Amino acid sequence: IVMTQTPLSLSVTPGQSASMSCKSSQSLLHSDGRTYLYWYLQKPGQSPQLLIYEASNRFSGVPARFSGSGSGTDFTLKISRVEAEDIGIYYCMQSIQLSVTFGQGTKVEIK
Amino acid sequence: QVQLVQSGAEVKKPGASVKISCKTSGYSFTSYYIHWVRQAPGQGLEWMAKFKPGGDTPTYAQKFQGRVTVTKDTTTTTAYIELSSLKSEDTAIYYCAKTLDYFDVSGIAFWGQGTLVIVSS
């Protein structure tokens, strides 16, 4: 499954919202009713960290300003009020297939 | 709390092999899948393999078939990945990671700190 993220980079003013897209080449809806799409943030020099699991569920400790939406093959990550600590590269990932694949990432910078 | 602590950086010559360890704690080692993901300098995340220490057959990315092996030691709750026939293009940070849930389609929730492997003559 090919994961395509847009845009590749985003420059955001603190306090403004930001939105990014992830499209999969096949549906990520499993027969068990769950959608296996995940969002990660990799801050500079750090390991990736899970933000959103199964398309729209915020992981433990993730601020409420992060939200995920979408279904099937089209997904969106939104940051409602960007803070300076949100800089880094955002990756989507699918795990519905045996072979996991990542999107190429969206780099978020602060203006 | 869940922890994955990886072995230190390695420098290898082309054609050699490297074996990286991932010591886990804070959860049932045999119940959750371990994934291995790498990241070349300045590049994105590339998935390599996954397996369940409780006995599942590993799944490898086609790109690495025949060159990568994942193993485990359940007594020390440690996972390993070995990559052979190293090339300069294998220079990367290698991450181990644990799934959120215990079934095979579950995504990754927790990551190790990464192990830098440099392949250079």
Side-chain angles (χ1 to χ4, degrees):
Chain A
I1 295 178
V2 177
M3 307 296 288
T4 303
Q5 291 185 241
T6 54
L8 294 182
S9 66
L10 207 47
S11 186
V12 188
T13 301
Q16 301 279 40
S17 66
S19 182
M20 62 197 76
S21 169
C22 175
K23 295 184 189 295
S24 59
S25 60
Q26 296 177 35
S27 176
L28 303 186
L29 175 62
H30 194 273
S31 57
D32 65 8
R34 299 184 185 192
T35 298
Y36 290 98
L37 184 281
Y38 297 75
W39 288 97
Y40 301 90
L41 165 59
Q42 186 174 34
K43 297 182 179 182
Q46 297 186 18
S47 302
Q49 58 190 79
L50 177 62
L51 296 174
I52 302 290
Y53 65 95
E54 294 170 20
S56 59
N57 299 288
R58 244 184 337 270
F59 187 53
S60 175
V62 174
R65 63 180 182 275
F66 291 93
S67 63
S69 62
S71 61
T73 60
D74 289 353
F75 303 93
T76 300
L77 177 70
K78 183 177 178 181
I79 313 171
S80 59
R81 290 173 302 280
V82 172
E83 297 187 6
E85 66 180 22
D86 299 335
I87 62 163
I89 303 176
Y90 290 77
Y91 294 96
C92 61
M93 183 198 84
Q94 67 78 22
S95 60
I96 197 171
Q97 272 195 345
L98 278 180
S99 290
V100 167
T101 47
F102 292 90
Q104 65 272 57
T106 293
K107 186 174 184 177
V108 171
E109 299 173 322
I110 299 295
K111 280 184 185 173
Chain B
Q1 73 281 24
V2 173
Q3 285 195 308
L4 298 96
V5 179
Q6 299 182 225
S7 48
E10 304 261 12
V11 179
K12 295 291 184 181
K13 293 197 182 306
S17 296
V18 67
K19 190 172 184 178
I20 302 165
S21 68
C22 173
K23 167 68 177 159
T24 73
S25 60
Y27 72 97
S28 173
F29 178 64
T30 55
S31 299
Y32 294 80
Y33 282 77
I34 293 280
H35 289 249
W36 289 93
V37 176
R38 77 177 187 179
Q39 185 172 39
Q43 302 301 307
L45 301 170
E46 181 176 34
W47 181 79
M48 300 179 70
K50 72 178 183 185
F51 80 111
K52 191 170 187 177
D56 201 4
T57 301
T59 301
Y60 299 114
Q62 191 168 8
K63 175 177 179 177
F64 301 103
Q65 289 274 3
R67 212 161 64 91
V68 68
T69 305
V70 294
T71 56
K72 88 279 187 182
D73 181 340
T74 52
T75 58
T76 61
T77 64
T78 302
Y80 300 89
I81 188 168
E82 184 167 17
L83 187 62
S84 61
S85 304
L86 289 169
K87 312 165 223 180
S88 58
E89 308 90 89
D90 294 317
T91 293
I93 297 174
Y94 290 75
Y95 294 101
C96 64
K98 169 195 171 291
T99 52
L100 180 62
D101 286 310
Y102 50 83
F103 39 89
D104 61 355
V105 291
S106 177
I108 292 168
F110 301 93
W111 298 73
Q113 86 275 19
T115 296
L116 175 62
V117 175
I118 296 172
V119 183
S120 174
S121 53

